[in-house]
Amino acid sequence: MSTVQIAAPSATADPLGEIGQVAELEVSGMTCGACAARVQRVLSQQPGVVEALVNYATGRASVALGADAPDASRLAEAVQRIGYGAAALEPGAGALEQVRAFEEIEDRERTERAALALRIAVAVPLAIAVACLTYFEPHDVTARWIAAGLAVPVQFWCGLPFLRSAWAGAQAQATNMDTLIALSTLASFIYSTIVLITTGPSYRHGAPTGMFSMPLDYYMGTTIIAVLLIGRWCEARARSSSGRAVRELAGLSAKSARLLDPADPDGQERLVPIEQVRVGDLFRVRPGDSIPVDGVVLSGHSAVDESMLTGESLPVEKARGAAVTGATVNIDGVLNARASAVGADTALSRIVALVERAQASKPRIQRVADRIALVFVPVVLLLAALTAIGWVITGDGLHGMAGLMHIQRGLDATIAVLIVACPCALGLATPVAILVGTGRGAGLGLLIRGAEVLERSQRLDTIVFDKTGTLTTGRMSLAGVWSAERSDPDLVLALAAAAESGSEHPVGQAILAAARERGIDVPSVSDFRSVAGHGVSALVEGREVWVGQPGAEQHRADRSQLPAVRDAPAGTAVVVERDGQLLGVISVADTVKPEARSAVAELRSMGLDVRLLTGDSARAGESVAGALGIDHARCRVSPEEKVSEIARLQGEGHRVAMVGDGVNDAGALAQADLGIAMGTGVGAAIEAADISVISGSLEGVPRALGLARATQTIVLQNLGWAFGYNLIALPLAMTGLLSPALAAVAMGLSSITVVSNSLRLRGFGAPGRPVRAPGVRRRLGGVALAAAIPAVLLGGMVLAAPNRFAVAPASEASTRIPVTPGESLASYMKSLRKARGGCAMPGMAMGGQSCPQPAPTRVRSSRFR
């Protein structure tokens, strides 16, 4: 079975993440959101399928499988039975396999665009020629037949993709966007052909007028096909650009590795393809090389550029024991490392897989749009039928030429309804925005787990931070030294460093490092002893020195001096004694990240209440909170108490985001409405949080929320545009105020507009561009504006020039001769003779005078005025 193992997610993750196995399918032949909705419904109805998500923009289907799930090939067959192509994707692909898969996708998309370009190259000039012949020579017999001949290749070769897709849907008893296009263009072609064959010159009172009774409509179908082909080519190109970020990320993988012999690590290296690297292999990375796989440095020292994964521009120093990540670039030194993860288990492969999965997910608002798209085409067909019936009914009292022209106008209005209502924009509104937004996030080192995250990010009002490893570096440093009366602070630090020289505790290491940084000589020690949880003691220059907690039983100094500990600098305080005499107090504290203050200020400017939860002491927690301007801090809380505190805030009506390290804070991350993990470990971040900041930089938190809000804003703008466009275009088309040609242009521009709007996210976070999303009022205003623009544009054009953009008005096919009621035949013929330049009828003798046969009168059809 073609399946992918999914790790256990947070409680608020996308529903697909809660399933043990997910089958991935590649679906071809989808042309609109209605197609994606239909494929999704068919997959969801298969036995053993828990949930299916189909993404029109990416052409991918993700199917959550239950206990009795069918084989992935059977799922593909179910899709094929309703007229679409489908193939199961292989699971567990490594970065190189992902690159090859993306290359195949790009080749296929390039081929499709080339085929569309060729059809456009044929359709456009032929459509222009047909329109010119129809406009300039509407009543010339030869011109009419030439126009018919030029329309044939446009209709049946250039429009073949539409016809083929519509036929496949009809065989499966389904409808899609191409059904509307095929019906409208075929109706125009068949109608024009019938008119061409059956109608002759127009006569008035027995005299030929030099005009045909009915003009042809070939130009309508050819124009629609040409415009829609151009729109589809632009859409395909834009969709390809929207997924470029993830493809570029996968393309960072190295193609080969320099393997070393474990028995002789300093010996000759061997260049092998990346597929041959196994866990435990030794490899060497030279300056300028990409690190082939994840590993641990065994020897060497170098700076590594990790910006392609973390978004951070500064290189990271790597030495013995440091972890290195595949696809990052070694800058200046030589590193020897041991492979710890290869293939699909590397950080790069997991990140690409996570982003792809996020792009396949759908927010609730898109699921509503999918349900609308599923019934959209049948509803449009019904509206088109009602339009045709309405025009027939309103023209019931018209006879002769006026009646025929009214029927033709009704046909044009029906065609306009079929064309203008194609649900392309509706189907592209959400998936393309998510595709671009999540791809941009991956480029910035931000992993967004799914589309639901975008919606939850909009409603946050509170954000809670863990302290250690989140707001701070997690590394202890000296905060200050307090010395007793007649004691030298440097002596206090020297004795403490000497006693701690044999300790591995972070507090002791911080004291020792501080003494060395100050250039203080550390005396030698003997008889070192460590008391777990309390402190250490040692003989320093023959005298006993104790360094430990003030309340420990081993502390033997005068208790009256202990209040001085409260005056020691904030942090974790330890007392220093010699021979039972208190010499001083040393305070060490976790180092606050340099970007923490600006990140907290940015979050507060976004309208969020920033809080702190930490298991550290009140002194340490309040010190960090005060330094960063955080008003609410709770200290000495256990992981379980963090969960309870998040739940308490939610019970008060707050929408809470939790920021932690993704491991110790996993419970709080899951409880929160939105969990954000600082990605010190990619695996933990992926499994525990809704958003992961791979770099661990706090600047990524406001950037991630800004990107999520900006993406959701684009989604809403796109949906506002799609619905606003259809709400104004359909009534205009039904009433004949929107010609089919303009309807085709409007439909194509609508799809291109939502894709182009989504592509704006590619510039998010670029230098000089703000990362803060606009406020709620501005976002709502943008959505309202997006919905109003198509109404203003289309409505304004129709009102400004109704005769130019409406369907053809009834044209006069012959000369008008005013007739007075009760006028005699003789006087009527006299008027007719005057209108004909003295002759009532060609070839007739009137009053002994013979009238010559006049040359045919050529009149431009008023339908093109």
Side-chain angles (χ1 to χ4, degrees):
M1 179 183 291
S2 177
T3 57
V4 180
Q5 289 298 124
I6 301 297
S10 66
T12 55
D14 188 83
L16 278 182
E18 299 177 5
I19 310 303
Q21 291 181 327
V22 174
E24 301 286 343
L25 303 178
E26 186 173 0
V27 183
S28 59
M30 295 189 296
T31 58
C32 63
C35 297
R38 185 168 297 105
V39 173
Q40 181 170 305
R41 183 177 64 174
V42 168
L43 289 173
S44 299
Q45 292 173 347
Q46 300 305 304
V49 171
V50 178
E51 185 176 11
L53 295 178
V54 179
N55 192 315
Y56 167 47
T58 61
R60 294 289 183 90
S62 297
V63 187
L65 306 176
D68 300 326
D71 187 272
S73 60
R74 289 172 55 195
L75 294 175
E77 291 172 0
V79 175
Q80 293 165 1
R81 282 196 296 271
I82 61 172
Y84 301 95
L89 298 176
E90 290 299 324
L96 195 59
E97 289 79 6
Q98 291 168 329
V99 170
R100 290 169 180 165
F102 284 135
E103 289 175 349
E104 291 178 2
I105 292 172
E106 288 183 339
D107 289 342
R108 184 167 59 252
E109 290 177 345
R110 218 171 359 252
T111 302
E112 291 174 356
R113 291 199 301 271
L116 285 172
L118 180 59
R119 295 181 192 275
I120 291 170
V122 174
V124 170
L126 292 184
I128 293 174
V130 171
C132 290
L133 288 171
T134 307
Y135 180 84
F136 292 110
E137 299 291 343
H139 304 290
D140 185 87
V141 176
T142 303
R144 288 163 71 91
W145 281 97
I146 291 175
L150 295 178
V152 171
V154 177
Q155 178 67 54
F156 295 104
W157 184 77
C158 298
L160 184 60
F162 306 123
L163 299 176
R164 185 186 294 126
S165 175
W167 176 247
Q171 288 180 312
Q173 299 181 346
T175 56
N176 55 27
M177 182 196 79
D178 290 338
T179 303
L180 305 179
I181 298 173
L183 284 176
S184 58
T185 56
L186 283 174
S188 173
F189 183 86
I190 293 172
Y191 164 80
S192 300
T193 303
I194 293 173
V195 169
L196 176 67
I197 295 174
T198 60
T199 60
S202 174
Y203 290 86
R204 176 63 65 92
H205 304 298
T209 63
M211 296 183 290
F212 284 90
S213 301
M214 298 291 287
L216 301 181
D217 242 1
Y218 284 118
Y219 84 99
M220 196 70 69
T222 56
T223 302
I224 289 171
I225 290 173
V227 169
L228 294 183
L229 284 173
I230 294 173
R232 186 161 289 188
W233 182 87
C234 294
E235 178 187 311
R237 185 175 179 85
R239 284 167 58 189
S240 177
S241 298
S242 65
R244 187 180 303 161
V246 180
R247 298 179 188 183
E248 290 176 350
L249 187 64
L252 296 173
S253 175
K255 305 298 186 295
S256 59
R258 306 176 188 271
L259 290 188
L260 301 174
D261 185 355
D264 185 15
D266 297 325
Q268 187 70 25
E269 59 194 34
R270 182 167 49 96
L271 193 65
V272 300
I274 193 70
E275 300 98 319
Q276 297 183 15
V277 180
R278 300 291 180 265
V279 174
D281 286 350
L282 303 184
F283 62 89
R284 176 173 294 155
V285 187
R286 295 188 176 278
D289 287 352
S290 291
I291 296 175
V293 295
D294 296 357
V296 178
V297 176
L298 300 179
S299 63
H301 185 280
S302 179
V304 175
D305 180 6
E306 297 182 340
S307 60
M308 62 287 300
L309 292 181
T310 65
E312 298 298 320
S313 58
L314 294 178
V316 180
E317 295 295 325
K318 301 291 183 180
R320 178 181 174 83
V324 290
T325 306
T328 56
V329 179
N330 185 26
I331 296 178
D332 52 11
V334 177
L335 295 175
N336 292 340
R338 185 186 303 278
S340 59
V342 299
D345 296 327
T346 63
L348 177 64
S349 298
R350 297 181 67 187
I351 289 171
V352 172
L354 176 68
V355 175
E356 281 192 306
R357 182 170 158 226
Q359 292 174 344
S361 62
K362 293 182 180 182
R364 286 192 299 271
I365 191 170
Q366 178 60 28
R367 301 183 191 216
V368 174
D370 284 349
R371 286 195 290 270
I372 295 174
L374 192 61
V375 299
F376 197 85
V377 174
V379 169
V380 170
L381 291 174
L382 177 62
L383 290 176
L386 293 175
T387 300
I389 294 172
W391 278 85
V392 170
I393 292 174
T394 56
D396 187 49
L398 298 176
H399 302 284
M401 183 62 61
L404 291 174
M405 294 306 297
H406 187 83
I407 292 174
Q408 185 181 27
R409 293 187 70 198
L411 175 64
D412 289 348
T414 303
I415 292 173
V417 171
L418 291 172
I419 291 299
V420 81
C422 292
C424 289
L426 190 62
L428 290 170
T430 298
V432 175
I434 293 175
L435 187 70
V436 180
T438 52
R440 179 55 182 162
L444 295 172
L446 309 171
L447 301 184
I448 300 174
R449 190 180 186 93
E452 293 287 342
V453 173
L454 305 177
E455 292 180 333
R456 294 201 300 272
S457 69
Q458 313 302 304
R459 303 188 295 268
L460 298 177
D461 56 44
T462 304
I463 185 166
V464 178
F465 280 91
D466 172 50
K467 182 180 76 69
T468 306
T470 303
L471 291 174
T472 63
T473 61
R475 296 186 298 272
M476 292 289 188
S477 62
L478 184 68
V481 179
W482 174 89
S483 58
E485 189 178 354
R486 296 187 300 276
S487 296
D488 181 7
D490 285 348
L491 175 62
V492 174
L493 185 57
L495 294 176
E500 293 281 8
S501 60
S503 172
E504 296 293 332
H505 195 279
V507 173
Q509 293 296 305
I511 292 173
L512 184 61
R516 290 173 176 170
E517 288 174 4
R518 296 188 180 190
I520 297 175
D521 292 332
V522 179
S524 58
V525 300
S526 61
D527 196 17
F528 172 83
R529 287 176 295 168
S530 175
V531 181
H534 296 287
V536 297
S537 66
L539 290 178
V540 180
E541 297 177 343
R543 304 177 69 176
E544 184 180 10
V545 174
W546 165 258
V547 181
Q549 292 184 6
E553 293 183 2
Q554 288 79 5
H555 175 74
R556 292 167 294 178
D558 184 359
R559 300 282 176 173
S560 63
Q561 299 185 63
L562 285 179
V565 175
R566 292 194 297 267
D567 300 325
T572 300
V574 294
V575 297
V576 181
E577 300 177 7
R578 184 169 61 180
D579 292 338
Q581 176 121 23
L582 181 65
L583 296 182
V585 178
I586 296 177
S587 176
V588 296
D590 198 354
T591 306
V592 176
K593 291 181 178 179
E595 73 278 9
R597 176 175 285 277
S598 61
V600 169
E602 182 72 18
L603 291 168
R604 296 183 68 167
S605 68
M606 295 170 69
L608 297 174
D609 177 21
V610 183
R611 296 171 178 254
L612 175 65
L613 286 180
T614 178
D616 210 338
S617 65
R619 179 185 295 275
E622 291 170 0
S623 173
V624 170
L628 300 180
I630 298 175
D631 298 328
H632 304 282
R634 279 198 62 189
C635 306
R636 292 197 179 280
V637 291
S638 65
E640 293 78 11
E641 290 172 330
K642 289 183 180 180
V643 175
S644 300
E645 177 64 15
I646 298 293
R648 185 188 67 81
L649 291 171
Q650 292 172 326
E652 294 176 354
H654 295 288
R655 300 283 185 171
V656 184
M658 174 68 194
V659 185
D661 60 12
V663 180
N664 296 331
D665 300 305
L669 290 171
Q671 175 64 41
D673 296 285
L674 189 73
I676 303 176
M678 307 305 291
T680 51
V682 174
I686 288 177
E687 308 217 5
D690 300 306
I691 297 177
S692 301
V693 182
I694 301 177
S695 65
S697 171
L698 282 169
E699 292 177 347
V701 177
R703 184 179 297 169
L705 291 178
L707 177 60
R709 292 184 175 187
T711 304
Q712 181 71 357
T713 300
I714 293 292
V715 167
L716 294 176
Q717 288 176 355
N718 288 347
L719 289 172
W721 174 280
F723 282 112
Y725 156 78
N726 280 293
L727 287 175
I728 184 63
L730 274 172
L732 291 176
M734 294 177 69
T735 54
L737 295 176
L738 194 65
S739 70
L742 182 59
V745 172
M747 193 275 286
L749 289 178
S750 181
S751 299
I752 295 171
T753 298
V754 298
V755 175
S756 301
N757 189 45
S758 300
L759 290 176
R760 294 193 299 121
L761 289 168
R762 294 179 61 183
F764 180 89
R769 295 194 180 186
V771 299
R772 186 191 311 169
V776 176
R777 291 185 178 179
R778 285 191 60 189
R779 293 205 301 272
L780 293 177
V783 175
L785 181 63
I789 287 176
V792 172
L793 289 179
L794 284 177
M797 290 169 61
V798 169
L799 291 176
N803 291 332
R804 183 175 299 275
F805 299 112
V807 297
S811 64
E812 294 293 338
S814 60
T815 305
R816 279 185 177 179
I817 300 175
V819 178
T820 303
E823 188 178 22
S824 66
L825 179 60
S827 62
Y828 181 86
M829 296 301 293
K830 187 175 182 180
S831 299
L832 183 61
R833 182 168 61 249
K834 183 179 180 181
R836 288 291 181 181
C839 290
M841 299 286 289
M844 290 181 60
M846 293 293 294
Q849 182 180 2
S850 177
C851 295
Q853 183 75 28
T857 303
R858 294 177 180 176
V859 181
R860 291 182 181 178
S861 172
S862 62
R863 70 189 287 111
F864 297 101
R865 291 173 185 169

